[in-house]
Amino acid sequence: MGIDIPILEITKAYRKSKADTFFEHGHNTALDFADFEENLVENLLNVRKTFQNWRDLDLDGFVGSHTLVIKGCEAESEESRRKSVVFFSDARRSWEHVSKLSINFRVIGQHPVIFHILSSLWIEKVGRFLDHTLGDCAYGCRLKKLGAHPRTDDEHTSIGHFRPYFRDYQRWQQDGIEKIREAIVMGKKVIAVTADITKFYHRIDIRFLRSKQFLKIYGMEWSSEQIEINEMLVEAITRWSDNLVESRSVPSEFTNNDIAGIPIGLGASKIIANIFLKYLDDQIQENVSPIFYGRYVDDIFLVLEDHGKITTASDFWSFFSSRIKNIDVNNENGPVLHVPYGSKSKIEFGRGKEKLFILENSSGISFIEALRESLEENSSEWKMLPDTKEDLDALAKQVAEPAHAINDAANGLRKTDGMSIERLKFVLHLRNFEALVELLPKSLWVDGLSSFINIAHDYVLSPGKVGTFTKYLPRILRMVIRAGEPLLAVKIIDEIRHVGEIMLERVDPYERRFLKISQKFKHKLILESLFTGLSPAKYLQYNSKEWVILFQKLDVDFDESQKLVEKLFVADLHFEAFKSVLSNDILLSTFWSTEDHYLKNGLSRIEWHHLGDPGKWKRRQLFSEKFLSTEPTLGVIPKSLYFFTRPATSLEISTIFPQWCQNERTLKAFRNFQIIFGLPKIQVQITTKQSGKNDEDLPVNPFSIVEFEDQAAKANPVLALTSFLTKNESWVSVVREDGWEPDEERYARLFRLINDILRLKKPKIDYLVFPELSLPRKIVRFIAAKLRSKNISLVTGVEYEIATNSRMQTQASTSFVSNQLVYVLTINRPQGIDQVMVVQEKNIPAIHEERELFDVGGKILRARRDAKYLIRHRGFFFSGLICNDILNIDNRFALRGMIDFLFVIEWNKDVNTYDSIVSSTCNDLHCFVVQVNNRKYGDTRVRAPYKESYLRDSVRVQGGELDYFVVGTLAIDSLREFQRDFRSPSEPFKPVPTGFRMSAGRRTSKAFRKN
C-alpha cells in the first residue's frame, strides 16, 4: 500500500518546501533544490511514483544523513582556572592563552529534496490539523493561517508554511512583560520564571505520533490518507534516528535512550516538537493557574502570583511538581517530565538554566519598565537605516566590552549572560553593512567595510565568541564577495582555517573527530556563500588575477562555478532574487532573452499541465511577455514565476508598472499581476470623478482619481517636511551619468535624517515629504520599507530616470530623462501594512532646467505619461505638482474643491515668485499647500487659508547648515466643516472663493462627518 497523491499537491508541497528550506539558513540545501529543478517535471512525477510505492523504498537513501555544527564553546586558560579576568581585544593573542577548549555541538539533518517534499505534504495534510489544536500559549514555529475562506488556487496562498520568527518572538516577550506589569499595578507580587529544555529535538521519540494514547487524549480522528502520510513520515524519521544511533559520528549525548530524536532542518519537526509539548501546555494552564504562560518552542516563560513560598529554584520545582503530573524533580541533570504518550521521549529541563525574578511594588514596576524600554530600543534599531560611522563605533564598543558587561535587562528575562542580545546586535551591524554594499556607491563604504571586517574578526573569531558566532562567517564572506573584494575574502578564509587548526589542537581527542565533521560542513557553507554571492550579471569580471586567487584558495573551477551561480539564480536560490530581472536589463538579457534560455529555464504549457495546472497559466504568460520580453510564440514562462522564494511585492510591481493606476484597464492588469505572486488585492478605484453624489455638474477632471478604500485614520494628518540639501554636484553627476556620488556625506545625511524621524514617538507621522530630485532612485524602496514599520507614507522627488532603449528611448541618438514625483502609500490590511507606488511626471521642464539638462548631459526632459493624480488615501484627498507645474493655471483649476491639501515639491531658487503663487493657490483652491524645497534655497512650509494672517504659515523654515525636519498637523476636519456651509462662516478660514464647489466625496467622507 502507498500514498496516491495528485501531482498538483506534490507540486504545491515542493514549492513550499523550497521556500521553507531557503529561509532555514545554514543547512546547505540551495544546490540540492537547484539541481532538482533542472529536471523539475520529471523529478516531481518520480516523487509521486515513489510515494505510491513507499513501503518498497530503501529508506536509508530517502532520509539522507546528518552533520554537526558548533553551538558553543568554552575556552579555558591558566588565568580562568585561577578565576582571574584577562581580556584580549586581539583574537590571535587571545588564542595563544587558551589551553583547553570544550565544544558543544548541534546535530542537523542533511536530507534530499524528496524528504523535504514529504515533510511539506505532511504539514498540509496532518501538521496543519495538529497546529490548530495548539493554544495561543505556543508562540514559536506556528503555521501561517489560511484565513476564514482559503482559496483553492495556490496562487492566493503565501509561499512557505511558517510565520516569521522575529515577530512571534517579540510578541512572546512583550505579552509576558505586559502581564507582569498589569499584575504589579493591581498590587500583586509576582514571580517570573524562564527555563528551557535540554536537547529537546534529540529527545523526542517520533513514534508518539501513531500512539493510540496520543490520538485518544486529543480526540484526533484521521482519514486513511492522513494515517498513511503520517506513517510514512514516522517510518522515515525513525530510520534517520536509528541510523544516527548506530553512527559513531555524533557525541553520545545525542543518542539518549537509543533514540536520536527528530531532525533539525526538517519543516515537519517544528510542528512535531510543538505538538509534543501540548501535554505540558495543558497541564500548566489547567493546574498552575498562571498569570501568564508562553512557550517559544522549548523556551518557557511562566508568571505566577507570589505567595511568599518560592524564593529559590528548588522551591519553584517543588511547587511545580505538586501541580504537574509525571514530573521527576530528583533527576541528577534536571527535572524530567514523562509525557504519557512519549514512549522513549524525554523532556529534561536544564538544571541551573532556570531564572527566577521576584517582583513587587515600585521596584518591580521600574524593573519591568526598564526591560520593556530596552526591548523596544532593540526592536527599533532593526527599523533604522544603516550609518557607516555609527555602526562601526557601536561594533567597536561592543567588541571592547567584555561579555559580562552586556546589559542583562535587554535580554528579555532569558539568558542573563547577555549572549542572546549580543548576537542580535552583531547581526544588526552585519545586516546594515550588507545593505550599504548593495545600495550605495562603493567609494562611500569601502573603507568602512575594511574596518568592519577587522573589528568583526577580533570579535567573531575570539575564543569566547567563536562558538556562538561561527555560523555568521559564511554570511560575512558572502558580503565581502558581493563587495567585489576577493583578496579580503581570501584573508577571511585564511583566518577561519587558522582558528580551526588551533581549535583542533586545543580540544579533547574525543571531540576532535566531531570538530573535523563540523569544519567540513563549514567549508560547504563557505562554498555556498561563494556561489550565492557572485553576481550572475558580472561573471566575466571574476576572471581577473585577484579572483583566481580566491577560486584557487577554495579549489573551485571558474567555469563550473559560473554554471552553479546561474543555476542558483534562475531557481531563485541566489542572494539576488530572480525577480531582479524585472528591473535589471543585464540580468534579463543574460538569463531570459534567447530560445536557449527559454528551453533551459522555462516551463512550457504542456509541462505546466503535467504539474497539475497549479495556477493561471495565461496570467503568467502575459506577465512574462510584458516585463521579461518573452517571445509569445514559444509559449514558456520562467520556472521562478511560480516556484519563487521571494515573490514580487505590490510596491515592486507598481514600480515596474507605474501606469497601473492610469485607468480601469491598467488596474485590472495590476491585480492580475498581484495574484501571480499571491498578494492580497488592494481595494482601489480609478475614475475621473470622486465617488459621491451631486458631482454631475462638475467637468470631467483631467486628473486621474485614485481612491483607496477608507482606512482607520486620524481626522487630521501629521506631516514631516524635510529641509534637505541636494547639492548641484550630485545633480550634475546624475545628468552626465558619471556613475559615482561626488557628495560623500549625502547618503549619511539622508539616513540620519530619516532615522531621526523613525525615532520620533509623538506625534505619529502620516506623510514624510522630500523636495524635487532629492532621493537617489536606487534606495527609494529601501527607505520606504523602513518607513513602513511606522506606517509612514513617502512623498518625494527622485533623481532623473535616464532612458534606456527598452524603456523610454525611441531614438538612439537622443537621450531622454523623466522628472518624477513619487508617492509610496501605506495600505493597512488585517495581514499587515502593504505599500504601493504612484508615479507622476513633470510634463514641461523649467526654462533653466531644460537648458542645463542639454548643456551638461545632452538630455531632454520628456514624460512618458501625461497623467496627473488626485488621490484619496486614509480618507484624505490630495494631489501633487512638481515645481513649475504649479505655474500652469489649468493644473490648479482642475483641483478646486477637490482636495484637502496639495503637495508642491521644488528645486527652486526663485522663492519670491513662488511665495505669491503658493499663497494664491492656497486661497484659490481653499486648501492647505505643502511646499517643500531644496534646503539650498529654503522656503519649506505649510500654507493654509486662515483668516488671521499669523496663522497662514503654520510651518515655515529656511536656511541652516544641517538637514532637519519640521512637523505640522493639517486641520482637515475643521477645513471641511467650514466648507460644508452654504455661506462661509466668519472664522477660522477666509471665505471660499467665488465659484468654489466642494466635491461630494469630500463633503460626505465618513471619516469627518459630524456626529
Side-chain angles (χ1 to χ4, degrees):
M1 183 179 179
I3 312 170
D4 191 11
I5 303 295
I7 188 60
L8 177 59
E9 294 184 20
I10 299 286
T11 299
K12 292 179 180 180
Y14 167 75
R15 183 187 189 219
K16 291 199 170 188
S17 67
K18 176 183 174 182
D20 283 342
T21 55
F22 177 78
F23 292 106
E24 194 76 27
H25 301 298
H27 288 265
N28 192 41
T29 58
L31 283 172
D32 290 340
F33 274 86
D35 288 338
F36 187 92
E37 206 151 293
E38 282 197 305
N39 298 297
L40 182 63
V41 177
E42 180 183 350
N43 285 332
L44 288 177
L45 290 172
N46 286 335
V47 168
R48 184 169 186 246
K49 291 178 183 178
T50 300
F51 288 175
Q52 288 172 334
N53 303 284
W54 77 267
R55 292 188 182 274
D56 299 326
L57 186 65
D58 174 15
L59 284 177
D60 287 336
F62 180 88
V63 301
S65 59
H66 64 275
T67 191
L68 295 171
V69 295
I70 297 176
K71 182 181 179 182
C73 66
E74 295 181 8
E76 186 177 305
S77 65
E78 203 62 42
E79 290 78 11
S80 64
R81 282 195 293 271
R82 296 172 183 161
K83 297 187 178 180
S84 302
V85 175
V86 179
F87 173 71
F88 292 92
S89 62
D90 180 79
R92 284 196 173 232
R93 288 194 64 193
S94 185
W95 278 109
E96 292 172 4
H97 290 260
V98 173
S99 56
K100 184 178 179 182
L101 203 63
S102 177
I103 301 177
N104 293 320
F105 295 95
R106 174 180 281 121
V107 178
I108 62 173
Q110 292 287 277
H111 311 296
V113 173
I114 190 171
F115 196 6
H116 287 291
I117 296 175
L118 172 63
S119 168
S120 177
L121 189 65
W122 180 90
I123 290 173
E124 289 301 319
K125 297 287 188 178
V126 179
R128 191 166 292 282
F129 174 79
L130 297 176
D131 182 77
H132 184 71
T133 67
L134 293 169
D136 292 337
C137 62
Y139 285 79
C141 299
R142 300 300 301 270
L143 294 177
K144 297 175 181 176
K145 292 183 179 178
L146 294 178
H149 304 286
R151 304 182 187 184
T152 55
D153 189 343
D154 197 50
E155 289 177 318
H156 297 277
T157 63
S158 58
I159 63 165
H161 291 102
F162 297 94
R163 296 195 311 227
Y165 148 78
F166 197 60
R167 192 178 306 160
D168 283 340
Y169 188 80
Q170 281 184 312
R171 191 166 57 86
W172 172 60
Q173 291 183 318
Q174 291 166 354
D175 287 355
I177 290 168
E178 181 58 26
K179 288 295 182 182
I180 294 173
R181 192 193 67 82
E182 290 175 1
I184 297 177
V185 168
M186 293 172 61
K188 295 180 180 180
K189 301 176 182 179
V190 302
I191 301 175
V193 183
T194 65
D196 65 6
I197 300 171
T198 301
K199 292 183 171 55
F200 176 46
Y201 273 46
H202 304 294
R203 304 287 171 83
I204 297 175
D205 184 352
I206 184 62
R207 289 170 289 192
F208 84 90
L209 272 180
R210 61 185 176 201
S211 160
K212 292 181 180 178
Q213 192 173 8
F214 169 71
L215 299 175
K216 182 179 179 181
I217 289 175
Y218 297 113
M220 296 177 182
E221 295 183 4
W222 291 350
S223 67
S224 58
E225 181 185 63
Q226 286 176 310
I227 291 172
E228 191 70 9
I229 292 174
N230 191 62
E231 183 66 16
M232 183 177 179
L233 184 77
V234 170
E235 284 295 315
I237 293 180
T238 299
R239 176 63 61 88
W240 180 84
S241 174
D242 290 345
N243 290 346
L244 212 62
V245 171
E246 294 171 5
S247 170
R248 296 183 64 253
S249 58
V250 295
S252 58
E253 64 261 31
F254 290 103
T255 55
N256 187 274
N257 209 11
D258 291 329
I259 62 167
I262 57 179
I264 294 174
L266 193 69
S269 295
K270 298 178 180 180
I271 299 174
I272 295 166
N274 253 345
I275 196 65
F276 185 73
L277 286 181
K278 179 172 170 57
Y279 175 80
L280 175 64
D281 298 342
D282 293 346
Q283 287 280 304
I284 290 176
Q285 292 183 314
E286 292 171 9
N287 301 323
V288 177
S289 300
I291 294 173
F292 171 80
Y293 167 64
R295 178 175 58 79
Y296 197 91
V297 190
D298 58 347
D299 284 341
I300 312 298
F301 189 177
L302 180 63
V303 182
L304 309 169
E305 187 168 0
D306 178 16
H307 297 291
K309 298 181 179 180
I310 299 176
T311 58
T312 65
S314 297
D315 293 340
F316 167 73
W317 289 117
S318 296
F319 163 80
F320 199 65
S321 62
S322 70
R323 301 295 182 93
I324 303 297
K325 299 177 183 177
N326 302 320
I327 189 167
D328 176 14
V329 298
N330 297 316
N331 181 61
E332 180 181 354
N333 295 322
V336 174
L337 176 67
H338 299 282
V339 178
Y341 47 77
S343 186
K344 291 184 176 182
S345 302
K346 185 177 182 181
I347 298 179
E348 182 178 276
F349 296 92
R351 187 176 296 282
K353 290 187 176 182
E354 66 280 283
K355 309 295 178 186
L356 274 66
F357 300 82
I358 301 173
L359 307 170
E360 59 183 294
N361 300 327
S362 58
S363 59
I365 290 286
S366 298
F367 178 86
I368 287 300
E369 287 301 322
L371 176 58
R372 183 162 61 177
E373 288 177 9
S374 184
L375 288 173
E376 288 178 356
E377 179 184 351
N378 289 320
S379 175
S380 66
E381 285 178 359
W382 286 83
K383 300 171 184 176
M384 298 294 115
L385 291 160
D387 185 311
T388 308
K389 186 178 185 306
E390 288 187 3
D391 281 325
L392 281 173
D393 290 345
L395 181 60
K397 181 180 178 182
Q398 185 176 338
V399 170
E401 202 169 41
H404 59 77
I406 300 295
N407 184 355
D408 292 345
N411 234 350
L413 297 175
R414 262 303 272 126
K415 303 172 183 175
T416 52
D417 59 3
M419 188 57 73
S420 179
I421 197 64
E422 193 177 358
R423 184 169 59 247
L424 282 175
K425 285 182 176 293
F426 176 78
V427 174
L428 172 62
H429 299 314
L430 174 56
R431 188 206 62 169
N432 283 345
F433 264 89
E434 287 174 329
L436 292 171
V437 167
E438 294 300 317
L439 295 171
L440 272 57
K442 187 169 185 176
S443 61
L444 302 183
W445 51 255
V446 65
D447 292 338
L449 177 67
S450 298
S451 298
F452 175 85
I453 294 302
N454 289 333
I455 296 171
H457 162 260
D458 287 332
Y459 189 63
V460 173
L461 293 177
S462 66
K465 302 291 192 301
V466 67
T468 302
F469 292 93
T470 186
K471 62 182 179 182
Y472 300 113
L473 289 170
R475 185 171 165 184
I476 294 171
L477 182 64
R478 185 180 65 195
M479 178 182 67
V480 172
I481 291 168
R482 298 288 301 166
E485 295 291 327
L487 297 184
L488 191 54
V490 169
K491 176 183 176 182
I492 293 171
I493 293 167
D494 286 340
E495 288 299 324
I496 291 173
R497 290 176 178 177
H498 173 71
V499 170
E501 291 170 358
I502 295 175
M503 293 176 71
L504 285 171
E505 294 173 359
R506 303 292 196 272
V507 296
D508 183 272
Y510 173 74
E511 292 182 348
R512 189 169 297 143
R513 57 195 173 110
F514 305 134
L515 180 58
K516 288 181 179 179
I517 293 172
S518 72
Q519 289 180 344
K520 287 181 180 179
F521 182 67
K522 186 192 296 179
H523 180 71
K524 290 182 180 180
L525 294 179
I526 286 173
L527 289 177
E528 186 181 70
S529 70
L530 172 71
F531 300 139
T532 58
L534 293 168
S535 174
K538 303 175 183 177
Y539 213 85
L540 293 179
Q541 299 178 17
Y542 300 135
N543 211 2
S544 66
K545 179 181 177 181
E546 291 81 5
W547 286 100
V548 169
I549 293 172
L550 174 61
F551 290 140
Q552 290 175 343
K553 176 68 66 174
L554 293 173
D555 195 22
V556 170
D557 179 76
F558 175 83
D559 294 331
E560 186 62 28
S561 66
Q562 183 176 8
K563 293 177 183 178
L564 293 176
V565 170
E566 293 178 357
K567 185 189 300 186
L568 289 164
F569 178 75
V570 298
D572 200 18
L573 295 166
H574 192 272
F575 178 82
E576 290 185 53
F578 182 78
K579 64 184 177 182
S580 58
V581 300
L582 298 173
S583 54
N584 188 318
D585 289 341
I586 297 176
L587 282 173
L588 184 62
S589 61
T590 304
F591 295 103
W592 194 255
S593 61
T594 68
E595 186 171 346
D596 181 59
H597 291 152
Y598 301 150
L599 295 174
K600 181 179 179 182
N601 305 325
L603 285 170
S604 69
R605 185 69 185 86
I606 294 175
E607 290 174 313
W608 191 256
H609 176 73
H610 287 325
L611 294 178
D613 289 317
K616 298 294 187 293
W617 168 270
K618 190 64 176 176
R619 284 194 188 117
R620 288 178 170 80
Q621 186 179 29
L622 290 174
F623 183 90
S624 187
E625 290 172 7
K626 183 171 184 61
F627 298 112
L628 301 176
S629 305
T630 304
E631 175 58 49
T633 58
L634 290 176
V636 293
I637 62 170
K639 294 172 187 173
S640 289
L641 209 52
Y642 179 75
F643 297 99
F644 42 70
T645 59
R646 289 151 291 181
T649 64
S650 296
L651 177 57
E652 289 168 332
I653 296 172
S654 61
T655 303
I656 63 170
F657 187 45
Q659 64 269 38
W660 73 272
C661 53
Q662 212 161 300
N663 51 52
E664 284 295 330
R665 180 182 58 81
T666 58
L667 176 60
K668 182 179 179 181
F670 175 74
R671 285 173 171 161
N672 280 330
F673 300 153
Q674 283 188 298
I675 290 172
I676 289 173
F677 296 103
L679 301 170
K681 176 181 175 182
I682 289 178
Q683 300 299 325
V684 62
Q685 295 181 37
I686 311 295
T687 63
T688 54
K689 277 189 171 184
Q690 290 181 3
S691 58
K693 300 178 181 178
N694 304 321
D695 277 341
E696 290 82 2
D697 298 332
L698 289 175
V700 174
N701 201 306
F703 283 66
S704 292
I705 301 175
V706 184
E707 296 194 65
F708 294 93
E709 185 179 79
D710 277 349
Q711 304 165 47
K714 297 173 291 189
N716 299 314
V718 179
L719 278 62
L721 283 62
T722 59
S723 181
F724 180 73
L725 173 65
T726 304
K727 295 182 179 180
N728 192 63
E729 305 93 271
S730 298
W731 184 92
V732 169
S733 180
V734 170
V735 172
R736 291 195 314 210
E737 301 182 68
D738 291 341
W740 57 284
E741 173 55 62
D743 180 1
E744 295 185 357
E745 290 296 316
R746 181 185 181 191
Y747 286 88
R749 291 188 292 106
L750 175 61
F751 287 2
R752 287 168 192 162
L753 178 62
I754 294 176
N755 282 342
D756 287 342
I757 293 168
L758 291 171
R759 292 188 182 101
L760 189 68
K761 294 184 178 180
K762 290 183 180 180
K764 165 69 180 66
I765 304 297
D766 297 301
Y767 299 94
L768 170 60
V769 193
F770 276 91
E772 179 184 12
L773 298 170
S774 57
L775 293 194
R777 303 190 67 84
K778 190 175 181 179
I779 64 172
V780 170
R781 290 206 306 266
F782 179 67
I783 289 172
K786 299 296 184 180
L787 297 175
R788 172 183 162 186
S789 66
K790 290 295 188 77
N791 202 4
I792 298 174
S793 294
L794 176 66
V795 182
T796 185
V798 294
E799 290 176 342
Y800 292 117
E801 181 176 21
I802 309 294
T804 62
N805 286 329
S806 62
R807 285 176 165 79
M808 290 172 59
Q809 203 105 310
T810 56
Q811 302 176 32
S813 60
T814 307
S815 187
F816 298 118
V817 298
S818 171
N819 186 344
Q820 299 170 354
L821 161 62
V822 168
Y823 304 92
V824 180
L825 304 174
T826 59
I827 312 293
N828 292 326
R829 55 176 81 254
Q831 304 93 329
I833 299 173
D834 205 348
Q835 290 176 306
V836 69
M837 181 181 288
V838 177
V839 179
Q840 178 175 306
E841 298 180 75
K842 180 191 277 191
N843 298 114
I844 300 173
I847 293 175
H848 68 87
E849 180 183 22
E850 181 179 36
R851 182 180 62 253
E852 291 173 5
L853 272 172
F854 194 81
D855 290 349
V856 173
K859 302 292 193 298
I860 298 173
L861 189 142
R862 177 176 294 180
R864 288 174 292 171
R865 288 168 294 277
D866 294 334
K868 287 184 167 46
Y869 298 101
L870 191 161
I871 298 171
R872 180 188 187 186
H873 178 250
R874 297 187 180 177
F876 308 124
F877 292 87
F878 56 83
S879 187
L881 297 170
I882 307 174
C883 205
N884 59 291
D885 279 345
I886 198 174
L887 303 180
N888 186 337
I889 195 169
D890 292 337
N891 289 336
R892 289 180 278 154
F893 174 74
L895 296 172
R896 188 170 67 168
M898 306 289 285
I899 59 173
D900 301 309
F901 51 98
L902 175 69
F903 292 109
V904 182
I905 61 169
E906 303 172 2
W907 182 312
N908 170 50
K909 61 183 177 182
D910 189 4
V911 293
N912 291 328
T913 299
Y914 275 70
D915 179 36
S916 302
I917 293 291
V918 167
S919 298
S920 62
T921 298
C922 175
N923 294 330
D924 293 343
L925 303 187
H926 210 262
C927 72
F928 292 89
V929 178
V930 182
Q931 177 187 10
V932 180
N933 197 8
N934 191 322
R935 176 166 65 84
K936 182 176 181 179
Y937 307 112
D939 204 21
T940 288
R941 59 172 166 168
V942 173
R943 182 75 176 183
Y946 283 112
K947 180 179 180 179
E948 299 293 342
S949 60
Y950 70 90
L951 292 174
R952 292 172 191 165
D953 287 328
S954 57
V955 170
R956 190 164 192 175
V957 295
Q958 187 164 359
E961 295 186 7
L962 299 176
D963 302 300
Y964 54 96
F965 69 96
V966 289
V967 177
T969 301
L970 309 187
I972 302 301
D973 56 344
S974 176
L975 178 68
R976 287 188 185 175
E977 186 58 28
F978 182 92
Q979 293 174 352
R980 285 190 180 102
D981 285 357
F982 180 74
R983 178 172 293 169
S984 295
S986 60
E987 56 182 23
F989 298 98
K990 297 182 69 171
V992 298
T994 302
F996 180 91
R997 285 190 57 190
M998 185 181 186
S999 70
R1002 294 180 61 236
R1003 180 181 295 276
T1004 61
S1005 180
K1006 293 180 181 179
F1008 306 104
R1009 187 178 295 161
K1010 290 183 71 176
N1011 293 328

